[in-house]
Amino acid sequence: MQGHGYGQPAKKPPHLAVLVLLRVLFVAAGFLSIGFLAWAMLLRLAAVTRRPLDWGLFVTALFADIAAIVLVANDPSDDASGVGGTLGMCLVLITLASATTYYLIAEIRHYGRREREFAARSTPAYGYPGPAARPYATPVIPTMPAAPAMSGMPTPPPTAPHTPVPGPPPVVPPSHRPAPARIDQVRAELDELSDYLRKHDGRREDGIER
């Protein structure tokens, strides 16, 4: 049993500028030939779409142009103003207008459908992998081996080094010189103490002599 596989790759349609140029050339050929080459547009369309309908329309336009040429050529008047010439020119103009309109509409729809199919097939379907990406080497980053942790002892987190913050300089209290009144008071107290000790020593000496 054959499994699911990838379908045939969708062919990308020609560029829009190329398509526009070809349309202008074929339409211009039909109008410059006064409709006698209108079948060229339907031939181009049938070769692109490959549909039986378009091939049938191409054959019909070709026979209509041939019939118009025969009618104009067999007209007995010199300027093809007779019945045959008039019918031939009407047939040519009707064929030209019909072929130009159908050619432009059918070709634009055809290439629009191809463009949508190409966009749909270019997108990977759900469940199927897309195109394989090109392998590339993955850089290997060396890692340092971790130090073995002691069992039962939690590992303290690393601490950042402590940088001491310089504090304000110590404030030296200003030296206060003693006031002169305080010095005089201390000196007077020392003099009184000296006089007291001197008197006390004199009394002791008198008591001893007695």
Side-chain angles (χ1 to χ4, degrees):
M1 181 177 178
Q2 185 179 0
H4 296 283
Y6 293 102
Q8 295 181 355
K11 186 178 180 180
K12 185 177 181 180
H15 196 272
L16 181 60
V18 177
L19 296 177
V20 172
L21 179 61
L22 290 175
R23 291 165 190 164
V24 171
L25 291 177
F26 279 96
V27 172
F31 277 91
L32 291 177
S33 63
I34 320 176
F36 290 102
L37 293 179
W39 54 268
M41 292 182 284
L42 297 178
L43 176 61
R44 152 77 180 171
L45 180 62
V48 168
T49 61
R50 299 179 181 180
R51 295 190 305 173
L53 175 62
D54 296 334
W55 285 110
L57 292 176
F58 157 67
V59 174
T60 303
L62 181 61
F63 277 107
D65 287 341
I66 294 174
I69 293 173
V70 171
L71 290 174
V72 172
N74 292 331
D75 189 80
S77 60
D78 296 336
D79 54 356
S81 59
V83 178
T86 303
L87 290 177
M89 293 305 298
C90 290
L91 183 60
V92 166
L93 295 178
I94 292 173
T95 303
L96 175 62
S98 303
T100 302
T101 305
Y102 180 77
Y103 164 69
L104 292 176
I105 295 175
E107 190 179 73
I108 291 174
R109 288 181 178 178
H110 172 72
Y111 280 108
R113 183 169 59 253
R114 283 186 55 181
E115 187 71 29
R116 290 191 297 270
E117 291 177 356
F118 176 77
R121 292 189 179 184
S122 299
T123 305
Y126 179 76
Y128 293 93
R134 184 177 179 181
Y136 59 93
T138 304
V140 179
I141 302 176
T143 56
M144 297 295 295
M150 297 179 62
S151 60
M153 295 293 293
T155 303
T159 57
H162 178 69
T163 303
V165 180
V171 180
V172 180
S175 58
H176 298 282
R177 298 183 61 185
R182 179 67 176 171
I183 296 175
D184 294 340
Q185 183 180 0
V186 172
R187 186 178 299 170
E189 291 178 357
L190 291 176
D191 292 341
E192 292 178 0
L193 181 62
S194 298
D195 294 340
Y196 174 77
L197 293 176
R198 192 178 298 113
K199 290 179 181 181
H200 182 71
D201 291 341
R203 291 177 182 177
R204 253 178 102 180
E205 291 177 357
D206 292 341
I208 294 172
E209 290 178 358
R210 290 178 185 177

